[in-house]
Amino acid sequence: MPLPHDFVFGTSTASYQIEGGVTAGGRGRSIWDDFCDRPGAIRDGSSGAVACDSYHRWDEDVDLLSGLGVDAYRFSIAWPRIQPTGSGSVNPAGLDFYDRGVDALCEAGIAPFVTLYHWDLPSALQAKGGWMTRETAERFGEYAAIVGERLADRVAMWLPVNEPVVVTLFGHALGLHAPGEARGFEALAAAHHLLLGHGLATRALRAAGVRVVGTANNHTPVHAASDADEDVAAAALYDTIHNRAFAEPILLGEYPNGMGEGMLGPVAEDLAIISEPLDAYGVNYYNPTTVGAPGSAAVVAASTTSPGEEPPIEIPEGIPFALVPVEAAERTAFGWPVVPEGLTELLVQLRERYGDRLPPIYITESGCSTHDVVEDGAVHDDARIRYLDAHLDAVADAIDAGVDVRGHFVWSLLDNFEWAEGYTQRFGLVRVGIGEGEERTPKDSYAWLRGRISQVRASS
Ligand code: FCB
């Protein structure tokens, strides 16, 4: 079945991954500037100091979006550009920068979708405890009000927090992302404050008169490594932590499996804020996950990595689940398994789990890193074309199965700073000569996507 003719096509980026200009226009420091300074934190020792230089090349990016024919662009606002220390006074140059950026998109007929937090927390807030404290959630609500008041009239959709699960697990439980804390299960406090921040921001945005508020949660369908009870239980626990712990407070106003019980603070009142009804639900999907119990027969049997597979993430002692490589015919340059039907499965599962409580879905991120072949100025990224084609078909299958999916955003418009992987993973529809003038070269997938979009439009 084809995608509906009014389906929204877009691409996604994030401020620290593309902007550069980290000292320009009065921007304050963020936890990612600090984390990149830690020896060994980033695979290639790089940082987002220049990245794609989109701070200075915003108009070029808008031209690329126009040439691609997308309806929408999802980008994030860097909190330390708006409030260099994360609270109090506003930096007018920062607000002006995004105001002009939003105008440029609107003039080009591209709907701005704005993420307020894609991981660049002002360092001054981290110094006071960051997301491990409620204060950060409260400051986040104030920041949302400032941005909302300025841009409410032109932004098509607001997504307060990107992937609170990844911030919690990678940033606070495992220490692989900024702020680099390895707290294990204690990190659940950060999860709660990120969710509270989402709720406070949602209220502040609505008070500022914005039209549409959603969220961008990372989801993965979870499968047990075998039918053994211990593997099934470990998989259910992982599903709770990765998926349900972030969807259910927002959609149902409760934590799954009594998870909220051990939490400090006014959890019941907080849940009322967190579950403020949304107009849209954003899903970021990359791949499914297979989970077993540490030391189970299936986990031991799967513990050797084959070539091309991403080496397993080291999970600290005492954590009651183990991640097992997912079987797949193809892998991305990252080693992530390519499983488009996992996206259909996930979307159908969300619909089954949450029914009418689930607002219309947008795929707010989907894409892959590739080993691009550059030849005579052209970039042949056939693997990305195959990936996107199959994942758009997977969305169409979910729509066919009755799930209300309204749009799809490719991660990413540009090759960019891929967090702890630095510039070693290229996710862009457009190649960027990082460190070589930041020139942009549309890849084969860019022309392919333009064609796919016109086909959908022509089918109406
Ligand atoms: C997601 C992030 C995004 C990008 C992709 C590859 O988890 O939201 O910034 O790094 O993964």
Side-chain angles (χ1 to χ4, degrees):
M1 165 157 147
L3 287 162
H5 68 91
D6 57 352
F7 192 75
V8 174
F9 285 95
T11 69
S12 285
T13 60
S15 47
Y16 191 73
Q17 294 181 277
I18 65 161
E19 282 181 0
V22 288
T23 54
R27 176 186 178 277
R29 269 183 85 81
S30 82
I31 56 173
W32 272 94
D33 301 297
D34 300 336
F35 191 64
C36 290
D37 282 348
R38 280 199 198 177
I42 310 298
R43 186 177 298 278
D44 57 4
S46 66
S47 76
V50 178
C52 309
D53 200 25
S54 289
Y55 182 76
H56 299 107
R57 293 174 179 241
W58 190 273
D59 292 341
E60 264 179 72
D61 294 350
V62 175
D63 288 346
L64 285 165
L65 291 161
S66 295
L68 184 56
V70 285
D71 310 285
Y73 179 45
R74 174 180 174 231
F75 63 95
S76 81
I77 290 188
W79 187 351
R81 287 198 193 282
I82 307 299
Q83 290 176 296
T85 57
S87 60
S89 63
V90 175
N91 171 33
L95 266 183
D96 290 347
F97 169 69
Y98 292 110
D99 193 292
R100 284 193 303 273
V102 162
D103 275 348
L105 288 165
C106 293
E107 274 157 32
I110 297 163
F113 277 46
V114 168
T115 312
L116 285 174
Y117 185 70
H118 204 127
W119 307 354
D120 37 6
L121 186 74
S123 303
L125 291 183
Q126 185 58 41
K128 295 183 192 156
W131 290 109
M132 289 299 289
T133 68
R134 299 181 73 77
E135 286 71 28
T136 293
E138 283 158 10
R139 298 296 82 77
F140 185 63
E142 293 161 9
Y143 151 67
I146 295 164
V147 182
E149 276 157 26
R150 182 69 172 263
L151 303 178
D153 54 336
R154 285 155 290 157
V155 168
M157 190 185 291
W158 295 83
L159 309 149
V161 178
N162 180 67
E163 299 188 345
V165 63
V166 176
V167 178
T168 303
L169 295 184
F170 280 40
H172 296 272
L174 299 170
L176 300 171
H177 279 184
E181 297 177 346
R183 296 176 181 272
F185 273 108
E186 262 183 44
L188 285 177
H192 183 68
H193 297 137
L194 284 154
L195 287 163
L196 179 62
H198 158 85
L200 290 169
T202 301
R203 285 195 172 174
L205 289 168
R206 293 223 197 278
V210 314
R211 284 167 287 176
V212 179
V213 186
T215 188
N217 271 353
N218 182 296
H219 282 299
T220 178
V222 179
H223 303 127
S226 82
D227 291 342
D229 289 352
E230 53 179 344
D231 289 332
V232 172
L237 176 65
Y238 188 80
D239 183 30
T240 298
I241 291 173
H242 192 121
N243 296 309
R244 299 180 53 196
F246 294 90
E248 292 178 21
I250 290 178
L251 296 174
L252 308 180
E254 62 195 27
Y255 278 107
N257 304 335
M259 241 178 84
E261 278 155 27
M263 286 186 185
L264 297 174
V267 174
E269 287 103 87
D270 289 353
L271 282 166
I273 299 171
I274 295 168
S275 58
E276 196 64 43
L278 296 180
D279 309 288
Y281 191 81
V283 169
N284 296 356
Y285 170 77
Y286 289 92
N287 50 251
T289 307
T290 305
V291 176
S296 77
V299 167
V300 171
S303 65
T304 46
T305 316
S306 9
E309 260 170 19
E310 191 191 11
I313 292 170
E314 293 234 358
I315 297 197
E317 285 264 313
I319 299 284
F321 49 75
L323 304 185
V324 167
V326 172
E327 311 238 337
E330 207 178 336
R331 290 184 184 278
T332 72
F334 224 137
W336 295 353
V338 179
V339 189
E341 56 281 11
L343 178 54
T344 316
E345 178 192 349
L346 171 68
L347 293 167
V348 169
Q349 185 179 63
L350 284 169
R351 170 77 199 161
E352 278 168 359
R353 283 184 177 174
Y354 307 120
D356 293 344
R357 304 295 283 273
L358 187 66
I361 292 181
Y362 288 77
I363 308 303
T364 35
E365 286 181 26
S366 161
C368 62
S369 62
T370 49
H371 299 290
D372 295 341
V373 182
V374 188
E375 238 169 21
D376 299 331
V379 187
H380 306 303
D381 57 340
D382 301 353
R384 176 167 294 98
I385 295 175
R386 281 198 301 280
Y387 188 99
L388 294 177
D389 195 34
H391 283 75
L392 284 168
D393 286 348
V395 171
D397 288 346
I399 295 174
D400 204 19
V403 189
D404 185 2
V405 190
R406 306 268 176 100
H408 176 280
F409 288 71
V410 175
W411 184 272
S412 179
L413 175 65
L414 306 170
D415 289 342
N416 61 43
F417 176 76
E418 179 48 32
W419 310 116
E421 301 299 316
Y423 296 104
T424 64
Q425 298 297 331
R426 294 182 172 274
F427 276 90
L429 294 163
V430 175
R431 186 174 178 91
V432 179
I434 305 272
E436 297 162 4
E438 281 62 45
E439 287 312 311
R440 280 112 163 101
T441 310
K443 304 181 187 176
D444 289 356
S445 58
Y446 175 95
W448 173 85
L449 182 60
R450 180 173 51 214
R452 175 101 194 219
I453 296 171
S454 341
Q455 261 172 27
V456 170
R457 299 288 175 256
S459 69
S460 58

Tab-separated table of all heavy atoms in Angstrom, residues 354-376:
chain	number	residue	atom	x	y	z
A	354	TYR	N	-1.410	1.097	23.753
A	354	TYR	CA	-1.931	2.368	24.265
A	354	TYR	C	-3.236	2.825	23.612
A	354	TYR	O	-3.827	3.813	24.054
A	354	TYR	CB	-0.840	3.453	24.186
A	354	TYR	CG	0.412	2.964	24.882
A	354	TYR	CD1	1.628	2.838	24.218
A	354	TYR	CD2	0.347	2.540	26.211
A	354	TYR	CE1	2.746	2.333	24.860
A	354	TYR	CE2	1.458	2.024	26.862
A	354	TYR	CZ	2.665	1.921	26.171
A	354	TYR	OH	3.751	1.402	26.811
A	355	GLY	N	-3.684	2.120	22.582
A	355	GLY	CA	-5.008	2.395	21.994
A	355	GLY	C	-5.267	3.868	21.771
A	355	GLY	O	-4.447	4.585	21.186
A	356	ASP	N	-6.402	4.318	22.290
A	356	ASP	CA	-6.827	5.702	22.046
A	356	ASP	C	-5.986	6.722	22.798
A	356	ASP	O	-6.130	7.928	22.576
A	356	ASP	CB	-8.300	5.877	22.458
A	356	ASP	CG	-9.200	5.077	21.549
A	356	ASP	OD1	-8.734	4.674	20.467
A	356	ASP	OD2	-10.364	4.835	21.943
A	357	ARG	N	-5.158	6.252	23.721
A	357	ARG	CA	-4.301	7.215	24.440
A	357	ARG	C	-3.115	7.640	23.574
A	357	ARG	O	-2.380	8.552	23.921
A	357	ARG	CB	-3.759	6.579	25.741
A	357	ARG	CG	-4.845	6.076	26.654
A	357	ARG	CD	-5.733	7.209	27.192
A	357	ARG	NE	-5.084	7.942	28.265
A	357	ARG	CZ	-5.147	7.600	29.549
A	357	ARG	NH1	-5.849	6.537	29.918
A	357	ARG	NH2	-4.540	8.320	30.470
A	358	LEU	N	-2.925	6.952	22.448
A	358	LEU	CA	-1.783	7.241	21.587
A	358	LEU	C	-2.165	8.291	20.545
A	358	LEU	O	-3.028	8.051	19.714
A	358	LEU	CB	-1.377	5.937	20.885
A	358	LEU	CG	-0.104	5.965	20.056
A	358	LEU	CD1	1.127	6.183	20.930
A	358	LEU	CD2	0.039	4.648	19.281
A	359	PRO	N	-1.525	9.464	20.594
A	359	PRO	CA	-1.839	10.461	19.565
A	359	PRO	C	-1.260	10.031	18.214
A	359	PRO	O	-0.512	9.056	18.144
A	359	PRO	CB	-1.126	11.729	20.067
A	359	PRO	CG	-0.474	11.402	21.353
A	359	PRO	CD	-0.495	9.912	21.528
A	360	PRO	N	-1.559	10.760	17.141
A	360	PRO	CA	-0.964	10.430	15.842
A	360	PRO	C	0.560	10.378	15.950
A	360	PRO	O	1.169	11.193	16.647
A	360	PRO	CB	-1.392	11.603	14.953
A	360	PRO	CG	-2.626	12.140	15.596
A	360	PRO	CD	-2.483	11.887	17.060
A	361	ILE	N	1.141	9.405	15.250
A	361	ILE	CA	2.589	9.176	15.352
A	361	ILE	C	3.335	9.842	14.198
A	361	ILE	O	2.867	9.847	13.054
A	361	ILE	CB	2.877	7.653	15.332
A	361	ILE	CG1	2.341	7.012	16.616
A	361	ILE	CG2	4.367	7.365	15.166
A	361	ILE	CD1	2.596	5.520	16.714
A	362	TYR	N	4.489	10.373	14.516
A	362	TYR	CA	5.466	10.803	13.512
A	362	TYR	C	6.744	10.016	13.784
A	362	TYR	O	7.143	9.897	14.946
A	362	TYR	CB	5.775	12.301	13.638
A	362	TYR	CG	4.619	13.165	13.177
A	362	TYR	CD1	3.499	13.342	13.995
A	362	TYR	CD2	4.634	13.773	11.934
A	362	TYR	CE1	2.426	14.118	13.566
A	362	TYR	CE2	3.564	14.549	11.501
A	362	TYR	CZ	2.463	14.717	12.316
A	362	TYR	OH	1.398	15.476	11.889
A	363	ILE	N	7.370	9.498	12.744
A	363	ILE	CA	8.682	8.889	12.934
A	363	ILE	C	9.657	10.067	12.937
A	363	ILE	O	9.974	10.621	11.870
A	363	ILE	CB	9.030	7.896	11.794
A	363	ILE	CG1	7.897	6.882	11.587
A	363	ILE	CG2	10.361	7.194	12.084
A	363	ILE	CD1	7.518	6.062	12.795
A	364	THR	N	10.100	10.455	14.113
A	364	THR	CA	10.903	11.676	14.224
A	364	THR	C	12.383	11.429	13.926
A	364	THR	O	13.141	12.385	13.762
A	364	THR	CB	10.695	12.335	15.598
A	364	THR	OG1	10.508	11.312	16.590
A	364	THR	CG2	9.472	13.216	15.602
A	365	GLU	N	12.796	10.153	13.875
A	365	GLU	CA	14.143	9.800	13.390
A	365	GLU	C	14.111	8.379	12.854
A	365	GLU	O	13.539	7.484	13.484
A	365	GLU	CB	15.202	9.813	14.508
A	365	GLU	CG	15.612	11.175	14.960
A	365	GLU	CD	16.683	11.141	16.057
A	365	GLU	OE1	17.456	10.154	16.138
A	365	GLU	OE2	16.724	12.105	16.827
A	366	SER	N	14.779	8.190	11.711
A	366	SER	CA	14.993	6.862	11.157
A	366	SER	C	16.082	7.020	10.105
A	366	SER	O	16.008	7.938	9.277
A	366	SER	CB	13.689	6.368	10.521
A	366	SER	OG	13.920	5.316	9.619
A	367	GLY	N	17.084	6.194	10.151
A	367	GLY	CA	18.167	6.327	9.171
A	367	GLY	C	19.326	5.417	9.538
A	367	GLY	O	19.243	4.651	10.502
A	368	CYS	N	20.396	5.489	8.753
A	368	CYS	CA	21.526	4.594	9.003
A	368	CYS	C	22.841	5.276	8.632
A	368	CYS	O	22.871	6.203	7.829
A	368	CYS	CB	21.370	3.319	8.175
A	368	CYS	SG	21.377	3.612	6.401
A	369	SER	N	23.923	4.777	9.201
A	369	SER	CA	25.254	5.235	8.772
A	369	SER	C	25.754	4.260	7.708
A	369	SER	O	25.435	3.062	7.757
A	369	SER	CB	26.215	5.293	9.955
A	369	SER	OG	26.392	4.015	10.515
A	370	THR	N	26.497	4.806	6.744
A	370	THR	CA	26.955	3.977	5.634
A	370	THR	C	28.441	4.214	5.360
A	370	THR	O	28.995	5.233	5.766
A	370	THR	CB	26.188	4.340	4.340
A	370	THR	OG1	26.210	5.753	4.181
A	370	THR	CG2	24.759	3.861	4.374
A	371	HIS	N	29.058	3.254	4.690
A	371	HIS	CA	30.422	3.431	4.182
A	371	HIS	C	30.251	4.032	2.790
A	371	HIS	O	30.065	3.314	1.817
A	371	HIS	CB	31.136	2.076	4.047
A	371	HIS	CG	31.271	1.351	5.345
A	371	HIS	ND1	32.113	1.771	6.349
A	371	HIS	CD2	30.690	0.215	5.806
A	371	HIS	CE1	32.042	0.935	7.361
A	371	HIS	NE2	31.187	-0.018	7.069
A	372	ASP	N	30.273	5.352	2.686
A	372	ASP	CA	29.982	5.974	1.397
A	372	ASP	C	31.148	5.825	0.427
A	372	ASP	O	32.305	5.956	0.817
A	372	ASP	CB	29.695	7.463	1.600
A	372	ASP	CG	28.430	7.698	2.410
A	372	ASP	OD1	27.610	6.763	2.502
A	372	ASP	OD2	28.269	8.803	2.937
A	373	VAL	N	30.812	5.582	-0.830
A	373	VAL	CA	31.848	5.530	-1.868
A	373	VAL	C	31.792	6.858	-2.626
A	373	VAL	O	30.758	7.207	-3.190
A	373	VAL	CB	31.569	4.363	-2.847
A	373	VAL	CG1	32.670	4.282	-3.893
A	373	VAL	CG2	31.428	3.051	-2.082
A	374	VAL	N	32.905	7.603	-2.594
A	374	VAL	CA	32.947	8.904	-3.272
A	374	VAL	C	33.688	8.725	-4.583
A	374	VAL	O	34.819	8.252	-4.606
A	374	VAL	CB	33.700	9.943	-2.409
A	374	VAL	CG1	33.571	11.345	-3.007
A	374	VAL	CG2	33.200	9.926	-0.973
A	375	GLU	N	33.039	9.081	-5.710
A	375	GLU	CA	33.619	8.878	-7.037
A	375	GLU	C	33.298	10.063	-7.913
A	375	GLU	O	32.113	10.368	-8.121
A	375	GLU	CB	32.980	7.629	-7.668
A	375	GLU	CG	33.972	6.568	-8.052
A	375	GLU	CD	33.221	5.283	-8.406
A	375	GLU	OE1	32.008	5.368	-8.733
A	375	GLU	OE2	33.830	4.231	-8.347
A	376	ASP	N	34.300	10.751	-8.403
A	376	ASP	CA	34.110	11.902	-9.292
A	376	ASP	C	33.061	12.869	-8.759
A	376	ASP	O	32.128	13.263	-9.465
A	376	ASP	CB	33.651	11.445	-10.700
A	376	ASP	CG	34.695	10.551	-11.348
A	376	ASP	OD1	35.892	10.723	-11.023
A	376	ASP	OD2	34.296	9.681	-12.149
